[in-house]
Amino acid sequence: MSSLIKTTSISESQNIFFKRYSKSRSNLVEFLMNYNNALDGQRSNNNRLEYLDFNTIPTLKTNSALEKHASTIYSDSGFKLIQSEIEEAVDNVTMVTLSNIGENEIYVVNDKFSKNWTVSYSTSFDSYAFSCKMFGRIGLVCSHIFWVLRNKKMKLIPNELHGGRWLKSKFVKAVHCGFDDDIETFIVVDETKQEYRDMHGDFYDIARLIEGDGDKIRAFRQIMAEGRKKVLGEGNVLSISEKRLMIENFYGSHVPSQIDVHPPDVVKTKGCGRRLSRLEKEMREMSKPGRKYGKCGEVGRHDSRNCDKI
């Protein structure tokens, strides 16, 4: 998507995403944990969408063989956009003129807005060119090309019109420099990641099957809790050395033998503390020892201004 956005919308979108997981007053450790949570959320959402793409059967709205083929190669969101273009081609697109110029077939078609568009088909290179530029902008086949494909009695979408962004395979092609046909469509899948995706698929499959059944849901949660204790070792009491080793492994550093940096000492600044009541002030004054005044010669808590003898 970065190649399709040319304004500050990229940074704004990233800021909105990370604000869901981070706070302005977080320290470095909290920031790293929140960053990992954000990435885990993206991976989980991606796995959920992959599961839906490979296990959801889309509903076809036309009898076109092209729509049936599109439902097998495009993701759920991409197929919905493609399906609307196929419906547009079936219902509203009509041909205006057809001409042959050398090895090129030039189709002029009219859409529902009464606007003419040109589609060129090269018989020598078996390629298509179109004036609306929709495929070049977002990688989706427009209704004008679908009309031409239906007119040529084609049942499969040509490989050069598949694009790369909307296919079911994960991140099959880069979008920063356009759609490159030299990049392989399918990538090598790591076994660990494949097992992780299969685990997600099994979980969503079971959750869908037991939805609405309270007894099965409680039984499944109990099985997950027991499996969590068994796999993660939760419930076991760790010793002090094991806890210290776990913390050191988490931070990636060991506790130094000599600590030079300490927290600052707490000082009593001016004005700190709570206010005393009048009774507390008098009790504090009575607890102090008296002093002897030079003019009257008595020990007390007065001075020369309020002495009774002067």
Side-chain angles (χ1 to χ4, degrees):
M1 286 297 293
S2 299
S3 63
L4 305 178
I5 305 176
K6 301 299 183 181
T7 62
T8 57
S9 300
I10 301 176
S11 59
E12 292 175 359
S13 177
Q14 292 176 352
N15 290 336
I16 292 175
F17 174 75
F18 282 107
K19 278 183 179 180
R20 302 173 186 171
Y21 297 91
S22 62
K23 297 180 180 179
S24 59
R25 297 184 179 180
S26 300
N27 54 30
L28 181 59
V29 177
E30 293 176 346
F31 171 77
L32 293 177
M33 295 178 66
N34 294 332
Y35 184 82
N36 292 331
N37 291 334
L39 296 182
D40 290 339
Q42 282 188 337
R43 296 190 184 101
S44 177
N45 187 42
N46 183 42
N47 292 331
R48 181 180 63 84
L49 293 177
E50 281 191 353
Y51 171 78
L52 294 176
D53 287 341
F54 284 97
N55 293 275
T56 303
I57 301 176
T59 303
L60 303 181
K61 296 183 179 180
T62 64
N63 296 326
S64 175
L66 296 172
E67 183 183 8
K68 185 177 181 180
H69 180 226
S71 65
T72 61
I73 62 175
Y74 288 102
S75 63
D76 183 62
S77 58
F79 174 70
K80 291 179 180 178
L81 298 174
I82 287 288
Q83 191 177 43
S84 62
E85 295 296 327
I86 295 176
E87 287 185 288
E88 178 72 16
V90 173
D91 298 335
N92 299 317
V93 177
T94 57
M95 186 178 68
V96 179
T97 59
L98 171 60
S99 60
N100 295 324
I101 302 177
E103 297 180 349
N104 296 329
E105 297 178 359
I106 308 298
Y107 295 86
V108 178
V109 295
N110 187 272
D111 60 6
K112 64 179 179 180
F113 300 106
S114 300
K115 190 172 182 179
N116 294 336
W117 301 94
T118 303
V119 179
S120 175
Y121 171 68
S122 175
T123 56
S124 59
F125 296 100
D126 193 20
S127 61
Y128 296 85
F130 26 85
S131 59
C132 67
K133 307 296 182 181
M134 180 176 176
F135 185 79
R137 286 185 288 109
I138 61 177
L140 288 175
V141 183
C142 61
S143 58
H144 318 120
I145 302 179
F146 274 121
W147 188 93
V148 175
L149 295 178
R150 291 182 66 252
N151 186 68
K152 298 176 70 65
K153 307 298 182 182
M154 298 186 64
K155 297 182 178 180
L156 300 178
I157 301 175
N159 293 331
E160 62 271 12
L161 297 179
H162 286 179
R165 174 186 166 192
W166 305 96
L167 297 180
K168 284 187 176 181
S169 52
K170 186 173 99 173
F171 303 127
V172 292
K173 294 185 179 179
V175 297
H176 297 282
C177 300
F179 299 100
D180 188 5
D181 293 334
D182 296 333
I183 302 177
E184 296 182 358
T185 303
F186 297 96
I187 60 177
V188 178
V189 180
D190 188 9
E191 293 182 358
T192 305
K193 294 182 179 180
Q194 184 64 37
E195 291 289 339
Y196 182 75
R197 286 195 292 268
D198 294 341
M199 180 197 67
H200 265 269
D202 295 339
F203 173 78
Y204 284 114
D205 192 17
I206 295 174
R208 180 177 58 83
L209 293 175
I210 65 176
E211 183 179 2
D213 194 335
D215 296 335
K216 292 183 180 180
I217 292 175
R218 284 187 289 270
F220 183 61
R221 291 187 60 190
Q222 184 177 1
I223 293 174
M224 287 194 301
E226 294 176 356
R228 181 172 182 173
K229 292 180 181 179
K230 185 177 180 180
V231 174
L232 301 180
E234 294 183 355
N236 300 329
V237 180
L238 301 177
S239 61
I240 298 177
S241 58
E242 291 175 342
K243 290 182 179 179
R244 179 177 297 177
L245 180 62
M246 181 178 65
I247 295 174
E248 290 178 352
N249 293 333
F250 177 78
Y251 284 99
S253 61
H254 300 281
V255 179
S257 58
Q258 182 179 359
I259 300 176
D260 299 329
V261 180
H262 299 277
D265 298 331
V266 180
V267 296
K268 189 175 182 181
T269 58
K270 181 180 179 182
C272 67
R274 67 182 186 87
R275 293 184 178 182
L276 301 178
S277 62
R278 186 181 64 179
L279 181 59
E280 289 176 338
K281 290 181 180 180
E282 293 178 357
M283 293 177 62
R284 177 175 292 185
E285 291 294 332
M286 293 296 293
S287 63
K288 295 181 181 179
R291 63 176 182 170
K292 183 178 180 181
Y293 295 93
K295 292 187 177 181
C296 62
E298 294 183 356
V299 177
R301 297 179 179 81
H302 60 277
D303 53 17
S304 58
R305 291 177 298 179
N306 52 18
C307 182
D308 296 335
K309 293 185 177 182
I310 299 176

